[in-house]
Amino acid sequence: MISEYCQNDVKHVVPDIDGTAEQQEAMTSLFHQFNVTTASARTIVKQFMEEMGKGLDHEGATLPMIPSFVTGRPTGSEKGKYLALDLGGTNLRVCEFELKGDGEFSVHQQKYVVAQELKTGEMRHLCDFIADCVDNFITEYGTHHISEKIQLGFTFSFPVNQTDINRGTLMHWTKGFNCNNAINKDVVIMLQDSFLRKNISVNIAALVNDTVGTLMANAYSHPQTSMGIILGTGTNAAYYEKLSNITKWRGGDQVFEEMVVNMEWGAFDLERRVLPMTMYDNKVDRESINPRQQLFEKLISGMYLGEVVRNAVIHLIDQLILFNGESSTGLNEQWGFETAYMSTIVVDETPELEKIRHILEDTLQVPSTTFGDRQLVKSICIAVGRRAARLSACGVAAVLAHTGELEAGANVAIDGSVYEFFPKFQTYLTETLDELFGQEVAQGIKFTLARDGSGFGAAMIAMMAHKAALAKAEK
Ligand code: BGC
């Protein structure tokens, strides 16, 4: 249990600003609002573990803990050519993988931009667009033989109530998607229908969440990987769970010991019991397309972090603490402050904070900024990013404490822009784990960047599912 590991609470120090007294005061207040103290991290982990237990036990819990129907671990000897389709991050990606059977593979891929109208229009139109992209990919880049039915792994990174390896109904949309006529429908049937109507010879052999794909992809080269995490546009995690712990499982008498569970951890604490929500987060949530949902995700993932910073900055402008009280059209717009700016701002060590000045004055057209203004904006970005890392660490801590892997050490595969690009994200993660469990345990938890792993994982799962289907048909 986590209480066995109690360390001393660590004091976090407020950064100094060379600006006005009001700016220093504002920073102190914001720092405390965005800080996740060691004590509150511990409370969050405890709550997380309770919610995990409920989600494994029954449907309708806050954490859905969805059985993925992926039971085996890859061996690295898998072979064959498979397509993968990845929807749910910034772009739609279509990839063809050739698994070579010796832990090696080759890939070629193409990205397609999903227009905003498609993200919030009719589901049928989105499926038709995806089918057209796959068709274009096969024609332009594919190496499959024309007569073969191509097997595809579909990474659909939204909460899906999975009912088989290639079946699942959409529970709700996240990350700014909101297509009509999709909720409670089987997303595989809808997309397969578009392939059929367009005479595209593709079979969707597996429906895969990106976290599950990331876990499997990393396990191909590091079989002991036990967890896959996405910290990108959205956030979520998957891990291997003992079947005996998935007490809600009614899958009949299949013989296997463990199954990958897609936690959908972005939904954690929608009751707001333990998450340290500030007024800036409340505003992000209220103005989002899915208010009161995915609160954990809204504190952590790339879709929202810039917007949290923007809300804090605007609030300071309104109090005349920043930019002499003057904002700009760009900064006043919802989503006007991109999360990507945060990384550039945080690494700016130039004497006059020139890069920060460029973003604020040239890109966002703020009339003028002082050195103190720029320092304050930088500190806000650090505080918001650091909070995201500390909260992510709470999720990791809960899973590893639950599976009992803390002492033995664990391999965690992570993908996503926030993890990859936010400066010191991994340091903050490990620091928090250190506060929770002590240095020895924290250092035994290894994070590997599994860049673009989900497509590869989906192709591999499609392969496993296709082979299993063939074997079943032969019986
Ligand atoms: C979705 C998850 C997904 C995560 C990362 C969340 O918004 O609900 O299914 O794994 O984003 O892409």
Side-chain angles (χ1 to χ4, degrees), residues 2 8-14 28-46 48 268-269 274-278 281 295-296 299-300 305 382-395 397 425 428-429 431-436:
I2 177 135
N8 289 332
D9 281 14
V10 172
K11 290 251 178 310
H12 302 284
V13 187
V14 183
T28 308
S29 157
L30 283 175
F31 184 86
H32 287 300
Q33 292 181 64
F34 288 123
N35 193 19
V36 180
T37 61
T38 319
S40 87
R42 214 168 275 138
T43 310
I44 293 169
V45 177
K46 189 162 167 277
F48 226 113
F268 173 66
D269 201 34
V274 293
L275 285 179
M277 305 272 297
T278 65
D281 302 301
L295 294 186
F296 191 58
L299 301 185
I300 290 184
L305 294 187
I382 296 176
V384 171
R386 180 171 169 272
R387 180 183 67 165
R390 292 180 66 77
L391 290 172
S392 316
C394 295
F425 201 91
Y428 297 137
L429 260 178
E431 242 167 47
T432 315
L433 292 168
D434 183 338
E435 289 164 35
L436 289 168

Side-chain angles (χ1 to χ4, degrees), residues 6 14 38 50 140 160 202 208 248 260 279 281 303 322 325 368 372 384 396:
C6 273
V14 183
T38 319
E50 271 173 35
E140 300 261 328
V160 160
V202 165
V208 180
K248 68 179 174 186
V260 177
M279 60 187 273
D281 302 301
M303 168 131 192
L322 266 180
S368 75
V384 171
V396 175

